[in-house]
Amino acid sequence: MAKILIIDDEPSIRKALAISFRGDGYDVMEADSKRTALPLIEKEEPDVIVLDLFVPDEREAFEILNAGKEIKRDTSVIIITAHGSTDRAVEAIKAGADDFLEKGFTMDEIKFRIVKLLEQKRLREEHRQLIAEYHRLRREVDERYSFNQFVGNSKGIKDLLNLVSRIVDDPYTTVLLQGESGTGKELIARAIHYNGPRKDHPFVVVNCATLPEHLLESELFGYEKGAFTGAIRDKPGKFEIANGGTVFIDEIGEISPKVQVELLRFTQDYTFERLGGNTPITVDVRIIAATNKRLEEEVATGRFREDLFYRINVIPLYIPPLRVRKDDIRLLINHIVEKVDREKGRQLCFSGDALAKLEAYDWPGNVRELENLIERLAVTVPHGDIRVEDLPAEFRMDADGMDFDSSLESFRSLKEAIREYEKHIISRKLDEHHWNISEVARILGERRDTLSRKIKRYGIK
Ligand SMILES: Nc1ncnc2c1ncn2[C@@H]1O[C@H](COP(=O)(O)OP(=O)(O)OP(=O)(O)O)[C@@H](O)[C@H]1O
Ligand SMILES: [Mg+2]
């Protein structure tokens, strides 16, 4: 409950106020002079002070006002003045009082003022908290997308970051990020944005792979009411929303010839019109495009416009797949484990053998796949020590795709193990040769009918 301190040397007024405020549930304190008031302000930190301007004289009242404000700046002070002395009230306001009432006020009047002051105080506090929260989030974003969150010590990554560091400061260079799925293209794009001069403006993502042509157009350029059925109001596009900032055009290799033309036109002077509109709009954005296709090949085969390719390929950045920079795997594991530990309150630790398996693996889904695996392990492995047995089957396989080490114990006899191996080999060869049984029989040096029998017996499908 809010605390109110009443400072008045006249006991009857003080008591009357105190009783009434207490009746409303406030926590009320009383003082009759500077000597009794200041310790209370210091110790109790009242939210509101009601101060008679004549306790016992004006000089002392002003001293209380000044000292009080010094002790606790966010305390609101209501001054009570004698009738017809607004000039004194103005002085008090100048000295830091928040409001004043002339003697003869009603109880309702003073209570109303108190409620108002408390409300203002609450808003100020909320505002302060929001600002603090904003700065905290801001720091978090800066930290999350700082380049030291992009882990890698391989030559490929060092070269990449080197190149990036030379272009972040230029707000206008267009960047084309190429790399397989899950290599960190979006992470790099965000890092470029949040470390460059546009960082206080929006970073806007458009994913071209998930949108059909007409939606992509309206997503990029926006539309005006009535542009098509369903356009019931004006809607700005991503280029407008991103003004001042960065537009990340993801999977640019997927866009249709028509949108390619529109994009090309846009990149000439960063001017466009909304769908169904005819007012040219000019924006100031940096374009970062990404693709997991080889865009040069798309150009060679005519699927991607050459002129658009050159327009966006001003700074080509290539993120190599994880399998060609295996020395990054351990670093990434450490980085991801640290993050997962923090988020899930775990303490994951990989055995040497398990790490070796992870390093030997080819990671077709790149860092994303590694991240998913560790997150899954954090949930599924009850103890934090992850050994080879805890890894999914594909990691426990031998080079030819079978998990012999860990299944050895489960065979009851050598015969059974051999049968298991035979089944495995046959089924793999069949897959490799599109179930051409004659061909597989020839490769394995078996008669065709023998092989057919074995296929049936083992139930290979
Ligand atoms: N070098 C890296 N260091 C730390 N985290 C990384 C690194 N590379 C990728 N990641 C993480 O891996 C995940 C996939 O990255 P991101 O989404 O940027 O990949 P992408 O290339 O955009 O993939 P896609 O083509 O599938 O969209 C993200 O969670 C990202 O934080
Ligand atoms: Mg992506």
Side-chain angles (χ1 to χ4, degrees), residues 180-187 205 207 248 250-251 290 292 368:
E180 287 179 12
S181 184
T183 45
K185 297 184 292 295
E186 183 159 347
L187 190 59
V205 180
N207 190 325
F248 178 54
D250 205 0
E251 310 293 1
N292 51 27
R368 190 195 307 285

Side-chain angles (χ1 to χ4, degrees), residues 214-226:
H214 66 285
L215 279 186
L216 181 58
E217 275 182 285
S218 61
E219 189 80 0
L220 288 170
F221 302 108
Y223 53 77
E224 282 184 7
K225 188 174 159 183

